[in-house]
C-alpha cells in the first residue's frame, strides 16, 4: 500500500513548477501500477496549450473555472468542479484558466516525473529504464 500526503509532496522533486501551472505528482511510473496521478493547478488568467502525443490523460476538475478548446475542431467546453475530460485521441488542446483551476489528472502510460512540455505542448515518452 502507498499513502502520500500533499504536504509531503510540496517542495520536493514531485512538485513541478511551470509558468502557467504546477503539478504535484502523487503516483509515478516507478510505483509500478500502470498509470500516474497528479494534482495540477493552472493559474488564473493563463492559457496553456498542450498535446499529449504519447499519453492518454483524464482530467477531473475539483476547483475553479476555465474553458477548454479542442484546437483541432474549435469546440469549446466550460470546465468547472465536477467536469471531467478525457484526451482519448491525443487531442491538441488549450485550457484557459479564468480562475485558478485545480484538477486531478491520470496518465497512461505513467509519467516518470521527469517530463516537461516540449515546443508542441507534448510530453516525451519516458520510462523508468531511461533514468
Amino acid at each position: 500500500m502507498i499513502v502520500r500526503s500533499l504536504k509531503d509532496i510540496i517542495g520536493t522533486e514531485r512538485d513541478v513548477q511551470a509558468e502557467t501551472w504546477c503539478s504535484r505528482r502523487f503516483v509515478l511510473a516507478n510505483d509500478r501500477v500502470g498509470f500516474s496521478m497528479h494534482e495540477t493547478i493552472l493559474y488564473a488568467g493563463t492559457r496553456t496549450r498542450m498535446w499529449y502525443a504519447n499519453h492518454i490523460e483524464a482530467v477531473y476538475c475539483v476547483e475553479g473555472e476555465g474553458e477548454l478548446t479542442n484546437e483541432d475542431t474549435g469546440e469549446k467546453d466550460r470546465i468547472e468542479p465536477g467536469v471531467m475530460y478525457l484526451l482519448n485521441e491525443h487531442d491538441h488542446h488549450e485550457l484557459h484558466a479564468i480562475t485558478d483551476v485545480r484538477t486531478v489528472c491520470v496518465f497512461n502510460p505513467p509519467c516518470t516525473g521527469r517530463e516537461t512540455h516540449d515546443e508542441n505542448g507534448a510530453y516525451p515518452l519516458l520510462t523508468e529504464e531511461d533514468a
Side-chain angles (χ1 to χ4, degrees), residues 29-94:
N30 65 0
D31 292 313
R32 308 263 184 232
V33 294
F35 64 91
S36 61
M37 187 187 86
H38 316 178
E39 175 192 69
T40 300
I41 300 171
L42 296 111
Y43 302 133
T46 64
R47 294 178 181 272
T48 305
R49 295 183 71 219
M50 296 167 275
W51 172 51
Y52 296 111
N54 301 303
H55 298 83
I56 300 296
E57 181 191 27
V59 179
Y60 180 70
C61 179
V62 295
E63 186 178 309
E65 296 180 25
E67 183 177 68
L68 177 69
T69 301
N70 180 324
E71 293 190 327
D72 297 322
T73 67
E75 182 180 347
K76 296 180 184 292
D77 290 286
R78 181 174 170 79
I79 302 301
E80 61 188 8
V83 172
M84 185 279 310
Y85 61 91
L86 179 64
L87 301 164
N88 60 320
E89 296 181 354
H90 305 283
D91 312 273
H92 292 85
H93 61 289
E94 178 185 78

